[in-house]
Amino acid sequence: MRLIALETASEQCSAALYLDGEIHCVRERAARRHGELILGQIEQLLREADVPRSSLDGVAVGRGPGAFTGVRLGLGVAQGIAFALDRPVVPVSTLQALAQQALRDDRRPAAVLAALDARMGEVYWSLCPVQGERVGLGPEQVAAPESLVVAWPVGERYGLGSAFATFPDLAAAQGLASEAEYADALPDAQEVALLAVDAWERGEAVAPEDAQPVYVRDDVARPASPR
């Protein structure tokens, strides 16, 4: 299977190429420059791997929640590529992709709290259960950090995301040892690609026009139902 994956919902802009089990990724933290970077990142990956666009099976994309402009950009680019190639799109939760990073170093907590700074004094968050080599996806929510009610399962707790840097008290409030280990994490196309392969095998790829962003703030945009 060959997939190109995009993640532009945060300050980090990243693209990944999944080639039959191998993942190649490029990333750059450059707020408000995603539109300048993402197409170049895609072309770099395809060129370095000597893979023509026409050989791609589909396009994966982080579909939010996240920065409104970034989410729309990622979906738009993914849809454009998919329409041009007549290929499907695999939308992946940005929070689930963030949580999946917790398993990079062979940690296996019971659950991962993925939390992104949502601005306006709030965080986007989801408690993602760990299921073997993958994280699942809990309800995607937005709330003030002091009002988070997290139903942690029994076992090791883990959390990551920019919300822990913006709100230093959040880690202690959730019974986590320190924010220093995970506050720098941002959603990444590497995990979008990994989760997209699983979603593809479950039959969750959709036509380009059916790939929709997910918002959890009603006053920013009408929320779409998670897939």
Side-chain angles (χ1 to χ4, degrees):
M1 178 180 295
R2 296 181 169 188
L3 291 173
I4 199 76
L6 321 175
E7 176 50 68
T8 59
S10 71
E11 302 96 295
Q12 179 168 274
C13 180
S14 61
L17 180 63
Y18 181 92
L19 295 176
D20 302 320
E22 294 186 1
I23 302 178
H24 309 268
C25 188
V26 290
R27 55 184 68 85
E28 183 171 343
R29 296 195 181 201
R32 295 181 294 279
R33 291 186 54 225
H34 295 28
E36 303 172 30
L37 296 172
I38 190 62
L39 291 177
Q41 290 180 334
I42 294 168
E43 291 305 319
Q44 176 186 339
L45 288 167
L46 295 174
R47 182 178 63 253
E48 291 178 351
D50 194 24
V51 172
R53 284 196 184 199
S54 59
S55 72
L56 295 173
D57 294 300
V59 184
V61 62
R63 47 75 165 158
F68 178 83
T69 302
V71 172
R72 292 300 310 179
L73 172 67
L75 261 295
V77 172
Q79 289 172 321
I81 295 172
F83 273 123
L85 298 176
D86 192 23
R87 299 291 192 272
V89 174
V90 187
V92 173
S93 166
T94 292
L95 291 174
Q96 187 179 12
L98 175 62
Q100 183 66 33
Q101 290 185 41
L103 308 190
R104 281 185 182 179
D105 57 1
D106 295 324
R107 296 183 71 104
R108 293 297 181 272
V112 179
L113 176 61
L116 287 172
D117 182 6
R119 312 301 182 191
M120 296 164 38
E122 294 180 318
V123 300
Y124 296 123
W125 69 279
S126 179
L127 184 66
C128 299
V130 175
Q131 303 164 340
E133 298 298 316
R134 299 288 186 270
V135 298
L137 179 62
E140 297 165 292
Q141 304 178 57
V142 63
E146 64 273 13
S147 67
L148 262 64
V149 178
V150 182
W152 289 97
V154 175
E156 182 185 356
R157 300 181 179 190
Y158 197 82
L160 75 174
S162 59
F164 291 100
T166 305
F167 304 102
D169 294 336
L170 178 58
Q174 294 303 323
L176 301 169
S178 168
E179 78 279 1
E181 185 177 358
Y182 35 70
D184 199 42
L186 290 172
D188 192 86
Q190 177 175 315
E191 279 70 32
V192 172
L194 193 65
L195 293 167
V197 172
D198 293 348
W200 180 287
E201 293 174 351
R202 294 193 299 266
E204 296 175 7
V206 299
E209 63 271 20
D210 292 330
Q212 297 296 321
V214 166
Y215 303 111
V216 292
R217 213 182 239 147
D218 291 349
D219 59 342
V220 173
R222 187 177 63 185
S225 299
R227 294 186 179 275

